Amino acid sequence: MSGEDAPAQQQNAEEQKQQQQEETKTPAESPKTESKPDPPPTSASTEAAADTPALAAEKAPEEDTFSYRALVLTGYGGYDKVKLQVKKGKPALKSGEVMVRVKMCGLNFADLMARQGLYDRLPSPPVTPGMECSGIIEAVAEDVTDRKVGDKVLVLNRSGMWQDVVVVATTHTFLMPEGMSFEEAAALPVNYITAYLMLFDFGHLRPNQSLLIHMAAGGVGIAATQLCKTVNDVTVFGTASASKHEVISQGGVTHPIDYRTRDYVEEIRKISPKGLDIVLDPLGGSDTHKGYNLLKPMGKLISYGAANMLAGQKKNLFAVAKTWYQQFSVHTLSLIQGNRSVCGFHLGYLDSETELIAQAMAAVVDLYRQGKIKPRIDSTYHLEQVNE
């Protein structure tokens, strides 16, 4: 998931993310081709509070042979491992599939982990990363009846979205609502479905409840905050650096907390002595224990990341999950006596649950139509600029 601000224990993770955004551009290598696309125009950064950059994909020039550009992770490591390549040959459609001309691709924190070999849901290199994109359907298989050429769609897939054209099952596409931009569409699936399922399926968020959102200025944090505003009288505590407090307050965070200068547990206890109903935990480690101890009876901690445990360590998510389980398994009696629950969530392991994802996406899109949610775009880059 996108990671913005986090408590001091995971500063390495934050610095790694900031390095991705601030490092001097290193152009991706392009293979030799008979014709080279025109240089793209400079992209402008629109709003700098969210952590949801998007990669722009423009239509490749028509050639005698069908070709398209793809960002390929050639091996695990630094930014130089991501290469811009040109693939030739029109992808073949199987039963139930569509081909989408990509307009925008989403960039998430999981993609940064995948580049380093820390995200086990990405196939082994060489592979094209990217879990979400938006575009226009360019071809459909003969048996597809619920999509047609020209449909504007959002796409959610395990990988392969960082290229000019993608072929996916029609069940992985969702019609864009009227008025939604391609940038917004590419920033919506991962963050908003993650936040929606955690809050409403696991969390059962109701009026007059309170919750803690770590990394409140990140992609999932902003999505969760906006979704909380759709429920009456929900109190939101959000951790973020002080420079982001004005923005997250405007977005719906009731009590912003600067994790760099304040102890968020103490700050929450001052305002809500009885504790919280829900804690969204992307951190792991000691912060998971702190979050659990902040819960009221019948409260729920939902773990969806392990920034603390991944920072500076060569661990995959299986290893992190095992460590997390070992830490909590000895506290079974404490769980029972406390009348509190701990849940784990990972969108990458729900890719086969098409009906559940479709229901969540329908709900999220409906909220967008009503004007209750709106993705914030941090910045946009062309495929040639991915290393930047």
Side-chain angles (χ1 to χ4, degrees):
M1 299 303 100
S2 293
E4 187 266 342
D5 291 316
Q9 289 90 340
Q10 7 78 45
Q11 287 301 300
N12 289 338
E14 180 187 61
E15 291 170 1
Q16 178 188 79
K17 176 87 172 90
Q18 291 173 342
Q19 181 184 8
Q20 168 76 9
Q21 295 176 333
E22 298 171 1
E23 190 165 296
T24 303
K25 178 181 176 183
T26 305
E29 295 179 9
S30 300
K32 296 180 180 179
T33 58
E34 295 179 2
S35 60
K36 184 177 181 181
D38 293 331
T42 301
S43 298
S45 176
T46 53
E47 299 181 68
D51 223 338
T52 314
L55 305 175
E58 295 180 333
K59 186 176 180 181
E62 294 296 330
E63 299 177 335
D64 294 337
T65 303
F66 188 97
S67 65
Y68 57 98
R69 297 170 302 162
L71 289 169
V72 178
L73 181 66
T74 59
Y76 300 128
Y79 308 121
D80 61 315
K81 299 297 184 181
V82 182
K83 309 287 188 180
L84 181 62
Q85 299 180 0
V86 174
K87 297 186 177 182
K88 292 186 177 292
K90 193 170 186 178
L93 294 180
K94 299 177 183 177
S95 175
E97 291 185 334
V98 298
M99 184 169 72
V100 178
R101 175 66 62 173
V102 176
K103 296 297 184 180
M104 300 293 294
C105 325
L107 172 61
N108 292 278
F109 187 61
D111 296 311
L112 306 183
M113 292 199 303
R115 195 200 75 231
Q116 300 171 80
L118 301 176
Y119 188 75
D120 56 281
R121 299 304 283 167
L122 183 74
S124 299
V127 61
T128 294
M131 295 176 288
E132 58 188 350
C133 73
S134 61
I136 301 173
I137 291 181
E138 200 165 85
V140 300
E142 292 183 0
D143 60 343
V144 171
T145 59
D146 58 344
R147 296 287 184 270
K148 64 181 185 300
V149 173
D151 282 344
K152 296 180 180 180
V153 292
L154 309 87
V155 184
L156 179 65
N157 207 53
R158 183 183 299 184
S159 61
M161 299 296 98
W162 290 1
Q163 51 190 27
D164 282 324
V165 294
V166 298
V167 171
V168 294
T170 184
T171 53
H172 288 206
T173 68
F174 310 90
L175 295 174
M176 288 173 53
E178 191 71 26
M180 178 181 282
S181 69
F182 288 115
E183 290 86 350
E184 291 174 332
L188 188 140
V190 169
N191 290 324
Y192 282 83
I193 290 180
T194 294
Y196 183 91
L197 290 175
M198 289 194 299
L199 288 174
F200 299 116
D201 284 60
F202 268 150
H204 299 289
L205 181 65
R206 299 188 299 277
N208 301 308
Q209 290 192 324
S210 59
L211 75 159
L212 169 62
I213 300 175
H214 285 294
M215 301 182 181
V220 174
I222 286 177
T225 302
Q226 291 180 0
L227 289 169
C228 285
K229 290 180 65 178
T230 67
V231 181
N232 292 332
D233 300 319
V234 171
T235 300
V236 178
F237 294 87
T239 62
S241 57
S243 62
K244 303 293 178 68
H245 283 192
E246 181 178 357
V247 172
I248 64 175
S249 295
Q250 292 173 352
V253 171
T254 318
H255 302 289
I257 301 172
D258 182 1
Y259 65 87
R260 291 173 174 169
T261 60
R262 302 287 183 181
D263 183 324
Y264 67 86
V265 173
E266 292 182 2
E267 296 300 308
I268 291 171
R269 287 294 186 190
K270 290 177 185 176
I271 300 169
S272 182
K274 293 183 178 180
L276 305 170
D277 296 288
I278 300 171
V279 173
L280 301 185
D281 173 29
L283 306 177
S286 62
D287 287 289
T288 298
H289 291 275
K290 290 179 182 179
Y292 177 76
N293 290 328
L294 278 170
L295 293 176
K296 297 177 181 177
M298 306 305 292
K300 307 172 188 71
L301 182 142
I302 305 168
S303 176
Y304 69 101
N308 287 339
M309 302 171 75
L310 285 169
Q313 303 179 44
K314 199 71 174 178
K315 289 187 177 182
N316 62 31
L317 292 181
F318 281 122
V320 170
K322 181 179 179 181
T323 303
W324 181 91
Y325 174 78
Q326 290 171 339
Q327 290 175 340
F328 266 95
S329 62
V330 298
H331 300 297
T332 302
L333 185 59
S334 175
L335 287 169
I336 295 172
Q337 293 173 341
N339 288 299
R340 294 171 283 189
S341 61
V342 178
C343 312
F345 180 84
H346 192 306
L347 183 61
Y349 286 90
L350 282 179
D351 52 1
S352 61
E353 301 294 330
T354 55
E355 184 176 349
L356 177 63
I357 296 297
Q359 291 172 353
M361 182 65 86
V364 166
V365 168
D366 188 53
L367 289 171
Y368 177 89
R369 287 195 186 98
Q370 297 175 46
K372 294 183 177 180
I373 63 171
K374 185 178 178 65
R376 291 179 63 91
I377 308 302
D378 174 79
S379 51
T380 61
Y381 298 90
H382 290 273
L383 293 183
E384 293 85 354
Q385 300 172 301
V386 66
N387 287 3
E388 181 180 343

